[in-house]
């Protein structure tokens, strides 16, 4: 019915999700690189690449070459048929464009893959399939962030406070940056955003798909230079540009999913680590599984940390059969 492999594919009949086997259809749940594994091979061997419209537009910006005629955009709640399978996407709070995948077999049995998510039951709908496939990103009981529910406000307050002393440089991965841009606006932060070219392109596309970022400008333009002279702005950069911007005056905030003890901590004279994750912690994973109540849970090991412990925990705590994939 379903098989996996060591790079995390969920392979169901003719459909390969977030990895490659020999599927006629490749589904990409979102643009993070651990979910686009083997996409160029899929592009060669598959008839269709299925993803949300936003994800299909983001992929080329991140360097993926996808022939137009193979693209099949699928919106949340829409259904597509592949052979005798029915496939539906559901929303997810992660990075813009992320989808959960539900597959219905001809006999009515259902299988769902959560992909990456946070805020289960509050923005990320909890699906109730017969078979649930989950990535236990934080699969151990000590991977808990007690402050997860209020981290948006904590981050916004920290940014506001630091802006009073100088510009703020925020570092994250693709998609997480756009997620944080939205969070800050929602939390009332109104300083202009300055973005390097790629982040700017991603933001423009996301805006066309309904995301709202307020004022943001492209680095290097006259407008951006004026703002930089004023010294009141937030600059967003990919984590890999940390070193390049190391000596730049201002406050540097690195977003990290692997800090559990405190919402933020100082790691240098003008450097902070903020425990802002785009994944549910251990408690969040458990909540999803408990409310989903699948007949069978499959823990996708290549994208899990502590996946074996997580499966065991679920078996004992909820009495739900839990196995490992692959
Ligand atoms: Zn992700």
């Amino acid at each position: 019915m379903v098989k996996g492999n060591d790079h995390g594919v969920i392979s169901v009949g003719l459909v390969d999700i977030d990895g490659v086997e020999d599927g006629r259809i490749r589904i990409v749940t979102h643009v993070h690189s651990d979910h686009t594994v083997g996409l160029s091979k899929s592009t060669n061997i598959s008839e269709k690449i299925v993803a949300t419209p936003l994800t299909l537009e983001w992929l080329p910006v991140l360097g993926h070459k996808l022939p137009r005629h193979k693209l099949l955009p699928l919106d949340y709640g829409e259904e597509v048929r592949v052979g005798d399978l029915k496939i539906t996407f559901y929303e997810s709070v992660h990075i813009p464009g992320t989808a959960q995948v539900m597959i219905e077999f001809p006999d009515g049995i259902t299988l769902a893959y959560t992909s990456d998510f946070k805020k289960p039951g509050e923005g990320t709908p909890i699906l109730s399939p017969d078979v649930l496939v989950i990535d236990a990103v934080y699969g151990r009981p000590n991977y808990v962030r007690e402050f997860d529910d209020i981290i948006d406000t904590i981050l916004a307050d920290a940014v506001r406070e630091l802006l009073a002393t100088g510009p703020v440089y925020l570092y994250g991965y693709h998609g997480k940056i756009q997620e944080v841009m939205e969070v800050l606006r929602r939390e009332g932060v109104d300083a202009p955003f300055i973005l390097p070219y790629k982040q700017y392109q991603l933001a423009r596309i996301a805006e066309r798909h309904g995301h709202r970022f307020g004022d943001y400008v492209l680095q290097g333009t006259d407008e951006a230079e004026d703002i930089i002279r004023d010294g009141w702005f937030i600059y967003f950069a990919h984590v890999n540009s940390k070193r390049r911007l190391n000596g730049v005056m201002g406050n540097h905030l690195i977003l990290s999913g692997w800090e559990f003890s405190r919402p933020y901590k100082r790691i240098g004279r003008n450097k902070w680590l903020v425990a802002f994750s785009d994944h549910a912690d251990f408690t969040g994973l458990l909540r999803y599984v408990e409310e989903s109540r699948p007949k069978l849970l499959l823990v996708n090991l290549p994208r899990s940390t502590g996946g074996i412990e997580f499966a065991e925990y679920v078996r004992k705590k909820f009495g739900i059969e839990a196995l490992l994939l692959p």
Side-chain angles (χ1 to χ4, degrees):
M1 175 196 199
V2 53
K3 50 180 189 182
N5 64 20
D6 58 10
H7 64 253
V9 73
I10 292 104
S11 173
V12 183
L14 303 168
V15 181
D16 285 349
I17 308 173
D18 288 1
V20 59
E21 273 291 308
D22 48 11
R24 253 177 49 206
I25 301 292
R26 168 71 188 259
I27 293 177
V28 182
T29 63
H30 64 292
V31 301
H32 279 155
S33 55
D34 53 334
H35 296 259
T36 57
V37 195
L39 185 51
S40 61
K41 184 179 173 197
S42 286
T43 305
N44 286 329
I45 65 171
S46 302
E47 289 163 18
K48 293 284 174 201
I49 309 292
V50 186
T52 59
L54 186 151
T55 295
L56 287 181
E57 281 193 60
W58 269 17
L59 286 168
V61 176
L62 300 173
H64 298 279
K65 292 188 176 64
L66 306 172
R68 228 160 224 295
H69 69 278
K70 291 199 176 185
L71 304 184
L72 179 58
L74 188 65
D75 252 318
Y76 302 117
E78 261 181 25
E79 185 185 291
V80 68
R81 271 175 181 277
V82 175
D84 51 9
L85 301 177
K86 275 195 269 182
I87 299 171
T88 314
F89 278 179
Y90 289 88
E91 285 178 339
S92 168
V93 184
H94 182 53
I95 62 165
T98 306
Q100 306 187 69
V101 184
M102 177 78 95
I103 297 182
E104 192 184 328
F105 294 84
D107 54 6
I109 289 181
T110 51
L111 175 144
Y113 172 50
T114 62
S115 189
D116 290 337
F117 67 91
K118 65 180 180 184
K119 301 184 193 284
E122 305 151 36
T124 297
I126 295 175
L127 308 179
S128 296
D130 297 298
V131 179
L132 181 69
V133 183
I134 202 165
D135 298 346
V137 177
Y138 296 114
R140 297 198 177 104
N142 56 320
Y143 294 153
V144 170
R145 290 176 296 262
E146 299 291 352
F147 43 80
D148 245 7
D149 289 347
I150 50 166
I151 190 67
D152 291 3
T153 310
I154 293 173
L155 173 67
D157 286 348
V159 166
R160 253 191 296 262
E161 210 170 290
L162 293 172
L163 273 171
T165 71
V168 171
Y169 291 80
L170 261 168
Y171 301 87
Y173 287 95
H174 298 310
K176 195 170 188 172
I177 286 176
Q178 286 70 26
E179 181 199 353
V180 167
M181 288 167 68
E182 270 192 315
V183 163
L184 292 180
R185 290 299 187 231
R186 213 164 40 230
E187 293 287 329
V189 172
D190 52 5
F193 294 159
I194 298 180
L195 305 179
Y197 185 60
K198 199 179 277 184
Q199 302 308 331
Y200 182 82
Q201 277 181 295
L202 295 175
R204 288 293 293 259
I205 291 168
E207 229 173 14
R208 282 209 303 278
H209 292 278
H211 293 268
R212 291 292 166 258
F213 307 116
D215 285 339
Y216 62 97
V217 297
L218 174 62
Q219 175 189 17
T221 58
D222 290 348
E223 205 184 350
E225 293 307 316
D226 285 346
I227 292 170
I228 288 171
R229 262 191 299 277
D230 286 345
W232 185 65
F233 61 89
I234 302 165
Y235 181 90
F236 289 89
H238 192 272
V239 273
N240 293 346
S241 35
K242 253 187 342 230
R243 196 167 287 156
R244 187 170 53 79
L245 293 165
N246 207 5
V248 175
M249 283 266 291
N251 306 290
H252 297 256
L253 260 62
I254 296 146
L255 304 170
S256 166
W258 289 97
E259 174 61 35
F260 300 98
S261 57
R262 283 174 285 176
Y264 58 95
K265 68 176 181 197
R266 202 167 188 155
I267 54 168
R269 193 180 55 79
N270 59 347
K271 245 186 237 159
W272 287 264
L273 200 71
V274 183
F276 186 95
S277 174
D278 41 23
H279 296 277
D281 65 2
F282 181 75
T283 313
L285 287 175
L286 276 189
R287 177 172 175 194
Y288 196 114
V289 174
E290 184 179 17
E291 289 184 28
S292 168
R293 285 256 145 220
K295 293 193 183 81
L296 172 66
L297 179 74
L298 293 174
V299 178
N300 191 25
L301 274 190
R303 280 193 286 265
S304 297
T305 309
I308 296 169
E309 290 100 308
F310 187 74
E312 234 172 63
Y313 197 98
V314 164
R315 238 178 272 133
K316 280 201 190 116
K317 173 122 179 157
F318 305 131
I320 293 171
E321 176 68 340
L323 302 173
L324 306 171
L325 197 72

